[in-house]
Amino acid sequence: MEINEIKQESKKGTRTLVKCLVCGEIFDSSLEKCPVCGVGREHFIPYEVEETGYQSNTEEVFVILGNGAAGISAATAIRDRNKTCTIHMVSNESVRSYNRPMLTKTLISLKDIKQIEVHNPEWYEEKNITNHLSVTIQEINTEKKVINLSDNSAIQYDKCIYALGSECFIPPIKGADQPEVIAIRKFSDVQRVTDLIPKTKNAVVIGGGVLGLEAAWEISKSNCNVTVLEMADKLMGRQLDQEAGEFLLTIVKNAGIQLRLNASVIEITGQNEVTGVKLATGENFPADLVILSSGIVPNTALAIATGIEAARGIVVNEHMETNLPDVYACGDCAEFKGVNYGIWPQALAMGEAAGANAVGDAVTYENVPPVLTFTGMNTSLFAAGDNGKTPGIQYTTVMKKDETLKTFEKYYFVDEHLSGIILIGDTSKAGKLTNDLEEKRLLKDMNL
Ligand SMILES: Cc1cc2nc3c(=O)[nH]c(=O)nc-3n(C[C@H](O)[C@H](O)[C@H](O)COP(=O)(O)OP(=O)(O)OC[C@H]3O[C@@H](n4cnc5c(N)ncnc54)[C@H](O)[C@@H]3O)c2cc1C
């Protein structure tokens, strides 16, 4: 059953919905796992459908550039409020919107796009949304209000929503352009990895963030030797603290993954095919497959070329408006108040605001607090809030660690109020603690 049908039934009181605290997805409460990010029930909270009330049925044409989380969220917000307008979605991928976070979480078992599609083809028919797939947007002419596409066609629009997301950052390493070096961003990247897996004995993952570790764990299931090379001196340094990083390090090593911190990669070696990864120290790690996981770069080039203001991302206000009239931006490619975490819940929320405001509604976007989860390596991890990262702030902490049970909990407080959480091994309290964090609960009330 599609989310919108579920919402309808929920309005009639026949179904109950939940919201995933990790990715913001809303779905039927009977599901055991979130369809977008795969986390379990401990991360769900009950969700009540809010009716928009706003309706404006017009003959306008809305063009949505990109069909990722932000694009599909914008399309849904438009159709919810305008039943008669024309909606075009354009993507250079050959597939309809899908749950991108599942790419690394199901890397080895993902065979068919249907496993992770957001909506089936009937949904688009019913909503009268036209998908333009496998076409690249060449130019946005904001004066003539025309989008020029790579197949020489053009779309005339009244309102344009720029949701072109981001690409993987490819570090300038010699040999990174070889076919066996893959950065996972699209479904087609997963297909390339799965084609190479049967002949892979040694895989090296460059980058020890969440996506790198997810990919490493998945690849290790296919009986390859897997090594993770991380440039920093700790794992997930942005979200974890020193103790949590060390705890996770032991778990990763115990899961059979080789891990090297302070690893400065200077070359991916090989003539006709990849043979290894070389560090500045001279060490060489044999590899037939290399996964690059080194962050993202927002897709802003087309916007900049047409005069849309961008810093790291396209600059938008709280209504997702850019500096040009009738052009909105949302998702990984946009930034609000200088912030863009490049995460699914933010893309959903920005997309909804962009779509709603483009129709004429007044929806204000607020930055979504980032949450980190990781499941794999025989453990689970949850980190949220400020875990001691703001300079000049005095934190109080409470830490509980059990080496036998392999569990770790740490709580950060500012002026006695909860500011951050790290859970490793047992994340069953994540939902409740997220509420505590939102309410900035006092240390004395937390029963720690
Ligand atoms: C492997 C992976 C795992 C992730 N895991 C998580 C997670 O666990 N939790 C989380 O919160 N977030 C996660 N993310 C991040 C999350 O998926 C993104 O924040 C989200 O998908 C962004 O959505 P978007 O719509 O802004 O952009 P995108 O999903 O990138 O969509 C943009 C679309 O535009 C297309 N496009 C770009 N340029 C052009 C052009 N010129 N012409 C035509 N089409 C174009 C792109 O191909 C793409 O299809 C993950 C991301 C990846 C890659």
Side-chain angles (χ1 to χ4, degrees):
M1 179 175 275
E2 296 293 327
I3 295 296
N4 265 33
E5 285 173 53
I6 292 170
K7 283 186 181 172
Q8 291 306 323
E9 293 211 13
S10 162
K11 280 177 209 160
K12 289 184 225 147
T14 51
R15 294 185 84 89
T16 53
L17 295 180
V18 285
K19 179 173 179 174
C20 174
L21 288 169
V22 176
C23 69
E25 193 67 17
I26 293 153
F27 49 90
D28 192 88
S29 62
S30 63
L31 296 187
E32 290 297 326
K33 284 191 171 178
C34 171
V36 171
C37 66
V39 297
R41 288 187 161 277
E42 65 273 22
H43 298 281
F44 306 166
I45 51 166
Y47 182 80
E48 295 271 327
V49 176
E50 277 177 37
E51 285 275 13
T52 142
Y54 182 90
Q55 284 295 315
S56 168
N57 295 331
T58 67
E59 298 306 313
E60 286 167 294
V61 178
F62 292 80
V63 63
I64 301 170
L65 312 182
N67 71 349
I72 195 71
S73 179
T76 310
I78 293 169
R79 188 53 87 214
D80 280 351
R81 292 164 177 81
N82 189 331
K83 302 286 181 282
T84 50
C85 67
T86 301
I87 304 176
H88 294 281
M89 290 184 84
V90 188
S91 174
N92 55 9
E93 290 191 72
S94 60
V95 289
R96 290 179 293 268
S97 305
Y98 59 91
N99 295 320
R100 200 173 296 282
M102 292 309 263
L103 294 181
T104 38
K105 292 167 184 61
T106 55
L107 185 57
I108 297 301
S109 57
L110 183 55
K111 304 286 177 223
D112 189 330
I113 192 68
K114 286 193 184 126
Q115 290 171 248
I116 57 168
E117 270 184 340
V118 175
H119 296 298
N120 61 28
E122 291 77 39
W123 184 89
Y124 294 91
E125 264 178 50
E126 190 197 306
K127 300 284 166 197
N128 196 10
I129 294 171
T130 307
N131 274 300
H132 303 258
L133 299 176
S134 303
V135 278
T136 301
I137 296 145
Q138 307 281 43
E139 188 203 14
I140 307 165
N141 185 328
T142 50
E143 278 176 19
K144 293 187 178 154
K145 290 194 156 184
V146 170
I147 307 297
N148 291 316
L149 305 178
S150 57
D151 60 1
N152 292 325
S153 65
I155 303 173
Q156 188 87 41
Y157 69 84
D158 294 298
K159 302 273 170 63
C160 170
I161 297 184
Y162 189 110
L164 291 182
S166 53
E167 303 295 335
C168 294
F169 172 67
I170 308 296
I173 301 169
K174 189 177 169 203
D177 54 354
Q178 299 178 76
E180 297 85 9
V181 183
I182 301 172
I184 302 170
R185 178 77 204 175
K186 298 181 177 168
F187 181 62
S188 51
D189 300 321
V190 170
Q191 291 172 311
R192 287 173 61 205
V193 173
T194 42
D195 284 351
L196 289 168
I197 284 289
K199 61 168 194 166
T200 301
K201 289 198 181 73
N202 298 296
V204 169
V205 177
I206 300 176
V210 179
L211 303 193
L213 292 185
E214 283 177 350
W217 176 241
E218 277 289 300
I219 293 170
S220 73
K221 292 178 187 168
S222 62
N223 296 325
C224 314
N225 298 313
V226 183
T227 305
V228 175
L229 302 175
E230 167 57 48
M231 199 166 66
D233 59 357
K234 55 176 93 65
L235 284 175
M236 300 186 197
R238 263 194 309 150
Q239 299 95 348
L240 303 184
D241 63 7
Q242 189 67 30
E243 285 98 350
E246 282 167 16
F247 200 83
L248 180 63
L249 190 88
T250 310
I251 289 175
V252 172
K253 287 187 173 166
N254 288 343
I257 308 283
Q258 294 172 59
L259 179 70
R260 179 63 63 89
L261 298 176
N262 301 304
S264 172
V265 175
I266 54 161
E267 186 180 348
I268 301 170
T269 54
Q271 292 293 335
N272 298 320
E273 51 188 31
V274 162
T275 53
V277 178
K278 201 170 165 187
L279 300 190
T281 53
E283 288 163 282
N284 195 38
F285 293 85
D288 338 282
L289 169 67
V290 175
I291 304 291
L292 285 179
S293 183
S294 310
I296 56 168
V297 190
N299 273 325
T300 55
L302 280 170
I304 292 170
T306 195
I308 298 170
E309 188 192 344
R312 177 170 157 76
I314 297 164
V315 178
V316 287
N317 65 13
E318 71 277 22
H319 297 125
M320 303 294 106
E321 291 163 328
T322 66
N323 60 314
L324 295 188
D326 297 331
V327 183
Y328 298 74
C330 48
D332 278 16
C333 63
E335 64 172 60
F336 173 58
K337 291 187 178 168
V339 173
N340 190 332
Y341 304 112
I343 52 172
W344 185 272
Q346 193 172 23
L348 282 186
M350 282 183 150
E352 180 170 14
N357 291 317
V359 169
D361 199 354
V363 172
T364 302
Y365 169 82
E366 279 172 37
N367 270 326
V368 175
V371 167
L372 171 87
T373 58
F374 169 71
T375 305
M377 316 267 179
N378 309 315
T379 193
S380 57
L381 184 152
F382 174 85
D386 178 1
N387 294 312
K389 302 291 179 203
T390 311
I393 287 192
Q394 196 72 37
Y395 298 90
T396 317
T397 59
V398 176
M399 185 171 85
K400 299 176 182 182
K401 199 159 76 164
D402 189 322
E403 305 280 358
T404 323
L405 292 174
K406 299 186 175 52
T407 57
F408 177 99
E409 294 172 50
K410 191 152 175 189
Y411 304 90
Y412 276 82
F413 296 86
V414 177
D415 295 333
E416 303 290 298
H417 291 274
L418 185 64
S419 73
I421 311 158
I422 303 172
L423 304 175
I424 303 176
D426 177 4
T427 53
S428 57
K429 289 186 285 188
K432 184 197 164 299
L433 286 168
T434 305
N435 282 336
D436 291 343
L437 190 61
E438 270 170 21
E439 288 167 15
K440 299 192 173 116
R441 198 166 293 279
L442 282 166
L443 172 55
K444 69 177 176 53
D445 297 332
M446 282 198 55
N447 198 18
L448 292 176

